Amino acid sequence: MSAVALALAAGAVIGLALGALGGGGSVLAVPALIYLLGFTPVAATTASLVIVAVTSATALSAHARDGHVRWRTGLLFAAAGTGPAMLGGALAGRLPAAVLTVAFAVIAAAAALRMLRPRTSPEATVAVRPGRAAGAGAGLGAVTGVLGVGGGFLAVPALVNVLGLRMRAAVGTSLLVITVNSLAALVLRAGTAHGLDWAVIGPFAGAAILGAWDGRRLSAKLSGSTLQRVFALVLLAVAGFMLVDAVV
């Protein structure tokens, strides 16, 4: 199969994840770019930020129309992460590829396990404390910059478990956070973009955008708890594969 065909297939799956789950795009995009398309870890993380930023911005508009975006919480969360994301982006190019891969897998697995834990209280919308939102956003921004992820696979658990948002609101709000964090991290990665294969990234991003629209429609047909379990299981599978590959 040609590189463009692989890019189209991978992009469609990643867009579906972003549109339906509000995250998981970059945690799937990075392995796809490395293992299917032959990108180096540094190039893959930069390309992933480009793809996820464009796709998330597109999916955000659809979720906003459905009323599933908590703008104030999302902007505070994202603003707190902008500086750390830029610093992390500068640090990423200095780290060994193996360190990036293992760190990526460990954090993905931890987030998945947290989401699979049963909640002690039913889903409910609670008042969000600005300090808690800013703290969680800063930590997520740092991870976004270093690992080249939009942060949705961590933003959704944080918005649900730390800030108490309903799953559907967390999905929509995470897309706002992903877009802002991805753009911030890209600012300091501009120097690594000149060697990217745009003939592959373009079709990848285009397919992801189309997939995101289908994902948003899919999310409307599934319960919040089902979305949460699916999201967590996908994360665990990807994390396990990357850890095995890095160690073996």
Side-chain angles (χ1 to χ4, degrees):
M1 187 179 292
S2 70
V4 172
L6 285 171
L8 289 170
V13 172
I14 286 154
L16 189 69
L18 274 170
L21 304 174
S26 50
V27 80
L28 297 176
V30 171
L33 289 164
I34 293 173
Y35 299 113
L36 294 180
L37 298 168
F39 281 55
T40 66
V42 172
T45 54
T46 301
S48 171
L49 287 170
V50 175
I51 293 163
V52 171
V54 173
T55 308
S56 298
T58 302
L60 173 63
S61 63
H63 282 270
R65 285 197 299 273
D66 293 338
H68 294 153
V69 179
R70 296 279 294 275
W71 292 98
R72 182 177 178 181
T73 298
L75 288 172
L76 176 60
F77 197 95
T82 299
M86 294 177 73
L87 292 174
L91 175 64
R94 303 170 184 265
L95 296 176
V99 171
L100 289 174
T101 300
V102 171
F104 190 98
V106 169
I107 291 175
L113 291 172
R114 177 68 183 269
M115 292 200 77
L116 285 173
R117 287 170 52 188
R119 301 191 68 184
T120 56
S121 58
E123 279 193 13
T125 301
V126 300
V128 177
R129 296 178 181 177
R132 178 176 289 185
L140 178 66
V143 173
T144 295
V146 173
L147 300 183
V149 297
F153 77 108
L154 295 176
V156 172
L159 290 167
V160 171
N161 296 315
V162 179
L163 302 185
L165 269 63
R166 294 178 182 271
M167 184 62 185
R168 294 194 188 283
V171 168
T173 305
S174 74
L175 291 167
L176 173 61
V177 176
I178 293 167
T179 302
V180 175
N181 279 354
S182 296
L183 292 174
L186 277 170
V187 169
L188 289 183
R189 284 187 178 230
T192 66
H194 66 277
L196 296 180
D197 188 350
W198 294 101
V200 171
I201 295 172
F204 200 123
I209 289 171
L210 294 176
W213 287 97
D214 290 332
R216 197 270 302 178
R217 288 194 291 269
L218 176 64
S219 71
K221 300 177 182 179
L222 299 175
S223 68
S225 61
T226 298
L227 286 174
Q228 188 166 324
R229 285 194 299 272
V230 170
F231 188 32
L233 291 173
V234 169
L235 283 184
L236 275 179
V238 172
F241 175 81
M242 295 188 76
L243 277 174
V244 169
D245 182 75
V247 172
V248 174

